[in-house]
Amino acid sequence: MGAQIIDGKKIAELVRAELKLRAEKLIQSGIKPGLAVIIVGDNAASGIYVRNKVKACSEVGIYSEVHSFPSSAQQSEVLNCIQSLNENPHIHGILVQLPLPSHFENNRVITSIAVEKDVDGFHLYNVGALVTGNTIFSPCTPYGVVVMLERNHIPIEGQHAVVIGRSNIVGKPMALMLLERGATVTICTSKTRDLHEFTKNADILVVATGKPRMITAEMVKPGAVVIDVGINRLPDGKLCGDVDYESVKNIAGYITPVPGGVGPMTITMLLCNTILAAERAQANIKNR
Ligand code: GUN
């Protein structure tokens, strides 16, 4: 029996339809949700991500604005921009597209974002809140993975989850979010010795290594839930994940495709965090 395919595109559409209704409700109450995106330099992939974020915002009724800086910009210029966005009542979410040029200090820039507008959840305060189980904003990619599991009624509590990858954007927050939901979590990296010994025991396997097709069928427990966060461009121009989809789909119980799996969920959860930020701002106005 082949794996059930977790259709990220379909789940993203459903969630976006719900977000549109929440945005309409906010607009009726006089608050148009607003997102500001800061991009520094001319990284081609970042440019595409930002354009996709702007388009997705307009589709669900979120106002968005982009602040672009050349790679030669000084950090202080970006900090000043963030300061004025922090004070702007029309902006509920602020994100700084990563990577920043090497002369920037990532944490200095990210921690200058107001905690209640940090819709990426990358501010050190928000990272600490996530660690202690008092999440303010869940980082978008792992949040999207959790929603994909939930919408497919896949249990997390008591399951052995293996996360491969230790990035601040995916691996680490993913492990914390699964732990918070009662999973037994093992964190590996692409360099883990005898990696298959770990992956073979995973009920839920989340792969975020950036190594094309590194997870093969022999490494997967029959019936496991396999979530592929990777998106890699092959020499022939085609996209593939970190999981060897063609072989693993015959072993796994559930699997996410690439493209059309986790990818569409990441921007959806950014929209979700922005709406949440606007709803919180509205509640604060009401309670004043
Ligand atoms: N660069 C790659 N992924 C992300 C993300 O989720 N947020 C931001 N701000 N930058 C990124």
Side-chain angles (χ1 to χ4, degrees), residues 10-120:
K10 199 160 122 204
I11 301 169
E13 274 168 23
L14 288 173
V15 175
R16 287 185 198 200
E18 294 162 14
L19 293 174
K20 205 167 172 182
L21 295 177
R22 284 166 67 185
E24 277 165 14
K25 215 166 146 198
L26 280 164
I27 293 163
Q28 274 162 19
S29 76
I31 294 188
K32 172 101 174 164
L35 174 71
V37 180
I38 294 169
I39 179 167
V40 188
D42 49 14
N43 181 301
S46 290
I48 295 168
Y49 288 139
V50 168
R51 276 199 294 283
N52 288 341
K53 286 170 186 180
V54 166
K55 185 164 168 268
C57 277
S58 83
E59 281 164 7
V60 299
I62 296 174
Y63 163 77
S64 68
E65 59 187 42
V66 178
H67 298 261
S68 299
F69 293 86
S71 54
S72 58
Q74 294 299 307
Q75 178 165 286
S76 58
E77 294 173 63
V78 174
L79 293 178
N80 287 339
C81 174
I82 292 173
Q83 188 54 39
S84 79
L85 292 168
N86 283 342
E87 290 161 12
N88 183 340
H90 301 295
I91 295 298
H92 305 97
I94 303 170
L95 83 79
V96 177
Q97 190 64 34
L98 300 175
L100 287 166
S102 56
H103 64 285
F104 278 70
E105 303 154 285
N106 274 11
N107 274 333
R108 179 90 197 281
V109 174
I110 290 165
T111 54
S112 73
I113 299 172
V115 168
E116 67 277 12
K117 296 191 179 189
D118 169 40
V119 285
D120 256 337

Side-chain angles (χ1 to χ4, degrees), residues 175-193:
L176 287 165
M177 290 173 75
L178 291 166
L179 186 64
E180 192 59 30
R181 286 161 177 79
T184 302
V185 181
T186 302
I187 308 175
C188 299
T189 72
S190 60
K191 305 238 166 56
T192 296
R193 195 178 339 119

